[in-house]
């Protein structure tokens, strides 16, 4: 049977994947999340997980939703359970336009493409615009799921620093000049302007027009990812980038944070010519988004006080935000700093020199608390002194206890650093794929 053996000389190592040499080159950028590896442990009830960005759905009217789902099956089941259009259910696209109008967006339903979550929309946009080696500009840090999509299509990420008011226009201009002078082709700016994931900051209104002008001057598309825009704790909604420059902004939206993440219903609003290609991309990826899920969302929007429901979510998350900020003030050791979000799900913490949050993570889980280490939110291995804390899911009491445990771990790490010096863990280059505990 020697004819079936590989012809290459024996290297002394056994390859456990017989398909290794068949994979496309782009799979080299697909690396596992360090948080996913700890997910089973972090999900144990005795562990306070401040890692996951899972919405808290306890406020949803489940009895009402249950009755509505039954009605959809009994009244429109033959449509709901059938194939649909890759474009999305027309009435839902009209409702999406009404939602986006809250942020100043004037849109036609024909330019909305419904997706299986906004992650699918981001993946399709990257597939349409990025060839291997193209550059995507992104905030540093940036959403881990976006970095995974960029890596999958072999795009190179150039990070631009933020401050407490979001992306810094002058640094964006410098990054674009530097990248273009190096002969590299920039395809788009990827930005989360409102209640940023993971940084928790919001792009200042006075910066928005300047950033759009910089991108237009450099011929760079803007991809605006806005899943948290209606979750401002004071009820304020900010003007979408798309509302100012509809011809050069692709807008990504989602019902995952304002209704139900498990339904996986999102959308892309794109300039008309881009919309045509997005529909084709959607057909090749999924054939069509699930009609049943879209009809559930549409019925909910038509019959329920969804604005009142979002207000309940905001109050819920504001209480948890207050709990985590108070606990951080009370427990974290000197030398730590953190952002103070006015909406969304996340606080971004910076720890003192000598502490590596990635190396510390297994020890934190041993102490029964979990977080997302900062390295997962950079494409270049940075972020070892940062961590993302998510306050959206645990109760305020659990949040306070989790921060207390985290502070004790940090104190121990700082003592070790003072005694033995900074021993950094090896940093893994490249983005890390999203998981239910890191989105």
């Amino acid at each position: 049977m020697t004819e079936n053996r590989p012809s290459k000389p024996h290297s002394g190592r056994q390859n456990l994947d017989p398909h290794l040499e068949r994979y496309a080159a782009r799979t080299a950028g697909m690396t596992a999340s360090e948080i996913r590896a700890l997910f089973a442990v972090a999900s144990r009830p005795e562990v306070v997980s401040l890692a996951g960005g899972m919405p808290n759905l306890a406020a949803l009217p489940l009895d009402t939703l249950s009755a509505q789902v039954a009605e959809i099956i009994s009244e429109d089941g033959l449509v709901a359970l059938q194939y649909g259009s890759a474009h999305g259910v027309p009435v839902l696209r009209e409702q999406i336009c009404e939602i986006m109008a809250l942020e100043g967006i004037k849109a036609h339903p024909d330019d909305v493409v419904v997706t299986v979550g906004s992650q699918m929309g981001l993946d399709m946009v990257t597939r349409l615009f990025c060839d291997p080696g193209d550059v995507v500009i992104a905030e540093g840090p940036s959403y881990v799921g976006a970095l995974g999509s960029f890596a999958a299509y072999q795009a190179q990420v150039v990070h631009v620093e933020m401050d407490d008011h979001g992306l810094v226009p002058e640094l964006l201009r410098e990054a674009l000049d530097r990248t273009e002078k190096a002969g590299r082709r920039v395809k788009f700016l990827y930005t989360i302007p409102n209640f940023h994931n993971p940084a928790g900051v919001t792009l200042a209104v006075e910066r928005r027009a300047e950033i759009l002008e910089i991108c237009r001057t450099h011929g760079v598309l803007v991809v605006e990812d806005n899943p948290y825009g209606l979750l401002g704790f004071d009820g304020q909604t900010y003007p979408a980038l798309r509302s100012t420059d509809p011809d050069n902004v692709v807008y990504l939206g989602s019902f995952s944070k304002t209704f139900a993440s498990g339904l996986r219903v999102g959308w892309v609003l794109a300039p008309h010519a881009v919309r045509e290609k997005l529909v084709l991309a959607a057909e090749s990826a999924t054939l069509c988004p699930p009609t049943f899920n879209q009809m559930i969302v549409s019925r909910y929007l038509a019959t329920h006080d969804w604005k009142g429901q979002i207000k309940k979510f905001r109050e819920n998350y504001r209480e948890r935000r207050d709990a985590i900020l108070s606990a951080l003030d009370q427990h974290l050791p000197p030398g730590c700093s953190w952002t103070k979000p006015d909406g969304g799900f996340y606080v971004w913490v910076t720890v003192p020199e000598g502490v590596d949050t990635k190396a510390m993570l297994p020890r934190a889980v041993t102490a029964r608390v979990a977080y997302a280490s900062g390295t997962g939110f950079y494409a270049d291995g940075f972020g070892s002194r940062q961590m993302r804390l998510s306050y959206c899911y645990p109760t305020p009491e659990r949040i306070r206890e989790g921060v207390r445990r985290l502070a004790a771990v940090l104190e121990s790490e700082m003592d070790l650093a003072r005694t033995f010096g900074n021993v950094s863990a090896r940093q893994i280059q490249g983005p890390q794929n999203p998981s239910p505990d890191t989105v």
Side-chain angles (χ1 to χ4, degrees), residues 194-358:
N194 301 319
F195 321 126
H196 188 273
N197 178 8
V201 300
T202 294
L203 180 62
V205 172
E206 58 269 20
R207 290 184 179 182
R208 299 188 179 211
E210 184 178 0
I211 285 172
L212 289 169
E213 180 58 32
I214 290 170
C215 289
R216 269 203 168 275
T217 299
H218 287 265
V220 172
L221 182 73
V222 176
V223 178
E224 177 181 15
D225 195 354
N226 190 35
Y228 309 98
L230 298 182
L231 294 177
F233 297 142
D234 60 0
Q236 179 180 2
T237 55
Y238 294 91
L241 300 176
R242 166 78 190 202
S243 69
T244 302
D245 194 353
D247 293 331
N248 198 49
V249 177
V250 173
Y251 178 98
L252 304 176
S254 175
F255 291 104
S256 291
K257 309 303 187 294
T258 56
F259 180 28
S261 55
L263 291 175
R264 308 305 301 131
V265 178
W267 71 89
V268 183
L269 173 65
H272 192 77
V274 177
R275 188 283 316 269
E276 292 293 331
K277 291 181 173 57
L278 282 170
V279 172
L280 296 176
E283 288 177 346
S284 69
T286 64
L287 191 61
C288 61
T291 304
F292 185 36
N293 294 18
Q294 294 177 74
M295 292 179 70
I296 292 174
V297 175
S298 180
R299 181 71 65 95
Y300 167 80
L301 294 173
T303 62
H304 192 71
D305 178 15
W306 58 270
K307 292 181 182 178
Q309 187 67 54
I310 289 176
K311 183 175 183 290
K312 290 180 182 179
F313 284 140
R314 287 200 306 263
E315 293 168 351
N316 186 324
Y317 296 136
R318 181 175 59 229
E319 180 186 21
R320 285 158 168 76
R321 187 278 313 266
D322 291 347
I324 199 167
L325 291 183
S326 174
L328 292 171
D329 276 327
Q330 180 180 356
H331 295 296
L332 253 58
C336 296
S337 61
W338 51 89
T339 56
K340 296 175 175 60
D342 56 2
F345 287 6
Y346 308 109
V347 171
W348 186 245
V349 177
T350 299
V351 300
E353 290 279 1
V355 177
D356 186 315
T357 60
K358 182 175 179 179

Side-chain angles (χ1 to χ4, degrees), residues 53-77:
M54 296 178 293
N56 193 312
L57 304 181
L60 281 176
L62 296 183
D63 290 345
T64 300
L65 291 174
S66 171
Q68 290 178 346
V69 169
E71 288 174 2
I72 291 172
I73 292 292
S74 62
E75 297 171 6
D76 298 299

Side-chain angles (χ1 to χ4, degrees), residues 61-120:
L62 296 183
D63 290 345
T64 300
L65 291 174
S66 171
Q68 290 178 346
V69 169
E71 288 174 2
I72 291 172
I73 292 292
S74 62
E75 297 171 6
D76 298 299
L78 295 180
V79 175
L81 302 177
Q82 185 57 272
Y83 286 124
S85 165
H87 204 160
V89 171
V91 65
L92 178 59
R93 289 190 275 114
E94 293 174 3
Q95 292 166 316
I96 286 170
C97 289
E98 295 172 6
I99 292 171
M100 292 188 294
L102 298 175
E103 297 173 316
I105 296 174
K106 296 179 181 179
H108 193 281
D110 285 352
D111 290 329
V112 174
V113 179
V114 179
T115 57
V116 184
S118 62
Q119 180 69 32
M120 175 185 168

